[in-house]
Each structure stands twice: as C-alpha cells, then as structure tokens.
C-alpha cells in the first residue's frame, strides 16, 4: 500500500515534470527510460524524506501515520532506500535538457543533505519536530549545482 501511495503521490509528479522538461526535445527510447526511472526514483525519495521529516506533524496535528511503528532500524532502512533512490536519480540528470539539469541537481542535493540530517537526528528529534537544512546551506547547494552545469562540462 505504501508503494502505491508513493507512486500516486510522488513518482507521478516526477514523471509529469519530466514530460514538461522533454516537451521540446527528443530522446532515444533508452535515454527516455533512464530519465523516467530517475524521475520516479527522485519523486519517491522526496516522498520518503517527507515521511521522516513530517512524523511529528502527521501524528500530532493531522492524526495520520504512514509509518505506524517507527524505530531506529526502520529509519536506517528508509534512509538507505532514499540514498539508493537519489543515486538512481543522479544517474539520469546528465540526460536531461540543459535548462532542467541545474534545478533537478539542486533539489537532489538538497534532499541528500536532508537525508544526512535525518540519519544523524535522534528518534526523539524526528518525533518532535521537522528536520531542516539551513538557508545558507540551501543557497550553497543551489550555487554548486549551477556551477557544475555551467562550468564543469
């Protein structure tokens, strides 16, 4: 059920974004398949990060729980899964049209940083508040993504 929810709430968003990115370009069937896989995995990673980030709000404020039993072991498994999703997404970024790569890379790197923060947070921190990335770090990630696309060909 969780996989179906992730597909319907997040993976399809990645696929819709990809469709927009590719509207004025052509890609081989193999490249398109790789990009679709990356888009789905990136959407899945975003959703799983948000499950972990929103534990407190989902349970306390909204009365819902996507992860009914939450342990350190479960967090570590989800973090490993997210890292695999992000790695798969990163492999497809070079295939994207130039205008899409910087934003996708910046978002992927931001969520990678969030995963690092989620992994190092205590379960108590996860259950009591939202884990964030400081604004200066976000700006740095965006700058690095732009630098990589423009200057490191």
């Amino acid at each position: 059920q969780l996989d179906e929810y992730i597909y319907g709430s997040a993976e399809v968003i990645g696929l819709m974004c990809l469709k927009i990115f590719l509207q004025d370009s052509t890609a081989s069937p193999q490249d398109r398949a790789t990009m679709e896989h990356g888009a789905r995995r990136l959407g899945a990673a975003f959703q799983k990060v948000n499950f972990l980030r929103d534990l407190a709000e989902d349970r306390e404020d909204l009365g819902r729980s996507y992860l009914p039993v939450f342990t350190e072991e479960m967090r570590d498994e989800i973090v490993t899964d997210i890292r695999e999703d992000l790695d798969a997404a990163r492999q497809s970024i070079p295939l994207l049209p130039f205008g899409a790569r910087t934003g996708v890379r910046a978002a992927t790197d931001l969520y990678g940083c969030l995963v690092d923060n989620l992994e190092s947070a205590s379960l108590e921190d996860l259950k009591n508040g939202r884990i964030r990335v400081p604004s200066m770090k976000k700006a740095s990630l965006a700058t690095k993504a732009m630098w990589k696309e423009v200057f490191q060909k």
Side-chain angles (χ1 to χ4, degrees):
Q1 285 180 332
L2 191 59
D3 288 341
E4 288 177 27
Y5 179 84
I6 291 170
Y7 175 78
S9 68
E11 291 181 30
V12 295
I13 302 301
L15 292 171
M16 285 191 285
C17 289
L18 180 62
K19 187 172 184 169
I20 292 166
F21 297 157
L22 297 178
Q23 70 183 358
D24 293 328
S25 60
T26 57
S28 71
Q30 182 179 3
D31 285 352
R32 183 173 291 275
T34 300
M35 289 185 281
E36 287 173 355
H37 180 72
R40 288 185 65 180
R41 296 288 295 268
L42 187 57
F46 287 1
Q47 184 66 68
K48 293 169 196 171
V49 165
N50 288 336
F51 285 155
L52 294 178
R53 289 181 76 199
D54 296 337
L55 277 173
E57 182 181 357
D58 284 345
R59 285 186 181 172
E60 302 304 320
D61 298 343
L62 302 175
R64 63 184 180 205
S65 177
Y66 299 102
L67 309 169
V69 176
F70 190 69
T71 64
E72 195 167 314
E73 181 179 277
M74 177 181 244
R75 187 258 326 257
D76 294 345
E77 287 176 21
I78 294 169
V79 163
T80 297
D81 197 36
I82 294 167
R83 288 190 195 286
E84 291 171 1
D85 288 335
L86 292 174
D87 288 343
R90 282 186 185 101
Q91 292 177 24
S92 69
I93 292 172
L95 299 174
L96 293 171
F98 178 77
R101 287 194 303 253
T102 297
V104 173
R105 185 179 306 283
T108 302
D109 292 347
L110 171 61
Y111 271 74
C113 188
L114 279 167
V115 171
D116 293 342
N117 293 350
L118 290 164
E119 184 175 40
S120 64
S122 70
L123 290 185
E124 209 52 40
D125 288 343
L126 290 174
K127 291 178 182 177
N128 291 322
R130 196 161 209 245
I131 303 299
R132 299 184 181 278
V133 173
S135 295
M136 289 301 292
K137 180 68 175 176
K138 290 178 191 175
S140 172
L141 292 169
T143 301
K144 287 177 184 176
M146 184 175 59
W147 179 266
K148 183 164 184 137
E149 289 308 319
V150 174
F151 297 109
Q152 294 184 349
K153 288 289 175 182

